[in-house]
């Protein structure tokens, strides 16, 4: 039988938080060697991950070089300091900002928190870059940026912090080569966008994801069984309106989905989530896009969105972002692996034991 899945864990944790569980009842938060809970009580707000064509040691040296940060942000005149803190001086006499270096664990974790001159009014701020070897393809590295904070106007400030995160990660891609692999953001509406580039063709990917809509348990370590309901003609556009129930071990109910878009010519496929979201989420939608890049490779993009109820506890929202982001990283890697090799991912095989 398969193990308790990430999506089940996410839903159960989010439910507990929504019902008022205290922080010590929740699993500890960590980014590599960094104890997040010791550094901040704020929830996760933004994450962005990139694959880079360089070793972790090389990437960490880039991150640790203050001059690089000056070149990345047009608003910066200088960045000084390293041992324990650093000060950012803005151009045009716009003041300065001081950060405490919370973690400097070469070559894997670089983290900081704002201590003085906080122009955005971020409370309990923590930013962290986690550099890891890419275990999936064995080449290059994966860098994930996570930003935690509280703010009285989250919806208003979120685009600013999301833009800052994009600037940092895009700069690293510019320096080392690579691509964005995941973005997780939003307050009243969460978006989780995950991307991979593979040498599998659009037709091969479509065959497993769409034509094999009812066979998801063959390649997913999350799902032990899936059954279709409604009209079950899965040929061509006959799939539109078909429902799927996915059974997840250890979860009290199944996830129900219904196909809402099948566009083979455009390489787009989507299904809505009818049941199984956290209690404070609604209008869940999962969209898949397959784009032929013209060089023998295909870009696969998975985008999940869900509306969040007003008044949802920040920690519940942050945990949902973290857990569902992890879920989609696992899911897209397992999917691509199955299409390329015809065999389940090692993680899927291990889940059956």
């Amino acid at each position: 039988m398969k193990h308790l899945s990430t999506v089940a864990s996410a839903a159960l944790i989010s439910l507990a938080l929504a019902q008022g569980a205290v922080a010590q009842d929740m699993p500890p938060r960590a980014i590599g060697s960094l104890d997040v809970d010791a550094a901040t009580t704020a929830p996760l707000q933004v994450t962005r991950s990139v694959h880079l064509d360089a070793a972790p040691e090389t990437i960490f040296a880039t991150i640790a070089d203050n001059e690089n940060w000056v070149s990345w942000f047009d608003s910066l005149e200088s960045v000084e300091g390293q041992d324990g803190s650093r000060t950012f001086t803005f151009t045009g006499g716009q003041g300065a900002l001081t950060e405490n270096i919370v973690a400097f664990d070469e070559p894997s974790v670089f983290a900081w928190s704002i201590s003085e001159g906080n122009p955005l009014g971020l409370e309990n701020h923590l930013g962290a870059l986690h550099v890891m070897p890419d275990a999936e393809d064995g080449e290059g590295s994966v860098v994930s940026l996570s930003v935690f904070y509280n703010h009285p106007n989250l919806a208003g400030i979120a685009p600013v912090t999301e833009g800052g995160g994009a600037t940092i990660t895009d700069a690293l891609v510019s320096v080392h080569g690579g691509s964005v692999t995941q973005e997780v953001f939003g307050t009243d509406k969460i978006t989780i966008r995950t991307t991979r580039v593979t040498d599998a063709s659009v037709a091969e990917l479509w065959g497993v994801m769409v034509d094999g809509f009812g066979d998801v348990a063959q390649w997913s370590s999350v799902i032990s069984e899936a059954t279709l309901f409604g009209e079950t003609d899965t040929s061509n556009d006959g799939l539109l309106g078909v429902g799927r129930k996915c059974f997840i071990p250890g979860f009290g109910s199944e996830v129900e989905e219904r196909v809402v878009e099948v566009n083979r010519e455009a390489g787009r496929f989507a299904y809505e989530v009818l049941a199984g979201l956290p209690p404070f989420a609604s209008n869940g939608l999962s969209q898949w896009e397959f784009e032929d890049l013209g060089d023998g490779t295909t870009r696969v993009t998975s985008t999940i969105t869900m509306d969040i109820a007003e008044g949802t506890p920040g920690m519940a929202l942050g945990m949902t972002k973290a857990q569902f982001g992890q879920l989609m990283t696992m899911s897209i890697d397992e999917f691509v692996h199955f299409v390329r090799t015809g065999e389940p991912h090692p993680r899927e095989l291990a889940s059956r034991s």
Side-chain angles (χ1 to χ4, degrees), residues 15-68:
L15 175 60
L17 285 163
Q19 292 175 338
V22 294
Q24 57 263 33
D25 295 329
M26 296 299 104
R29 298 181 296 168
I31 296 176
S33 60
L34 173 64
D35 182 345
V36 172
D37 292 313
T40 182
T41 57
L44 175 69
Q45 301 292 356
V46 180
T47 68
R48 200 168 195 261
S49 299
V50 293
H51 170 89
L52 299 179
D53 302 329
E57 293 79 6
T58 302
I59 297 165
F60 196 91
T62 299
I63 294 169
D65 187 336
N66 288 338
E67 290 304 312
N68 289 329

Side-chain angles (χ1 to χ4, degrees), residues 166-184:
T167 296
I168 295 169
T169 49
D170 287 348
L172 290 171
V173 169
S174 179
V175 172
H176 297 291
S179 60
V180 177
T181 56
Q182 188 172 73
E183 300 172 279
V184 183

Side-chain angles (χ1 to χ4, degrees), residues 164-231:
T167 296
I168 295 169
T169 49
D170 287 348
L172 290 171
V173 169
S174 179
V175 172
H176 297 291
S179 60
V180 177
T181 56
Q182 188 172 73
E183 300 172 279
V184 183
F185 58 91
T187 53
D188 54 352
K189 187 183 189 73
I190 293 178
T191 298
I192 303 164
R193 183 175 297 115
T194 312
T195 304
R196 295 292 184 273
V197 175
T198 174
D199 57 8
S201 68
V202 171
E204 291 169 328
L205 294 158
W206 189 273
V208 173
M209 176 60 65
V210 185
D211 296 336
F213 187 60
D215 301 322
V216 61
Q218 291 185 0
W219 56 264
S220 173
S221 65
V222 167
I223 298 165
S224 64
E225 182 182 352
T227 59
L228 300 180
F229 63 90
E231 296 294 330

Side-chain angles (χ1 to χ4, degrees), residues 57 110 186 322 338:
E57 293 79 6
F110 185 89
F338 185 81

Side-chain angles (χ1 to χ4, degrees), residues 120-136:
L120 299 180
L122 304 181
E123 302 169 1
N124 301 315
H125 169 266
L126 175 69
L129 284 160
H130 189 196
V131 187
M132 301 159 283
D134 192 334
E136 196 62 35

Side-chain angles (χ1 to χ4, degrees), residues 71-130:
S71 68
W72 298 343
F73 289 91
D74 293 337
S75 60
L76 288 180
E77 182 176 294
S78 65
V79 180
E80 298 178 352
Q82 190 71 77
D83 297 331
S85 68
R86 58 182 183 172
T87 299
F88 295 75
T89 301
F90 297 102
T91 58
Q94 298 181 62
L97 177 153
T98 300
E99 295 177 341
N100 291 328
I101 305 300
V102 177
F104 192 95
D105 184 9
E106 190 174 359
S108 60
V109 180
F110 185 89
W112 62 95
S113 64
I114 299 173
S115 58
E116 296 179 23
N118 187 341
L120 299 180
L122 304 181
E123 302 169 1
N124 301 315
H125 169 266
L126 175 69
L129 284 160
H130 189 196

Side-chain angles (χ1 to χ4, degrees), residues 2 214 216-217 222-227 244-249 254:
K2 295 186 178 182
V216 61
V222 167
I223 298 165
S224 64
E225 182 182 352
T227 59
R244 180 174 71 182
K245 293 183 180 181
C246 298
F247 297 87
I248 301 170
E254 64 254 3

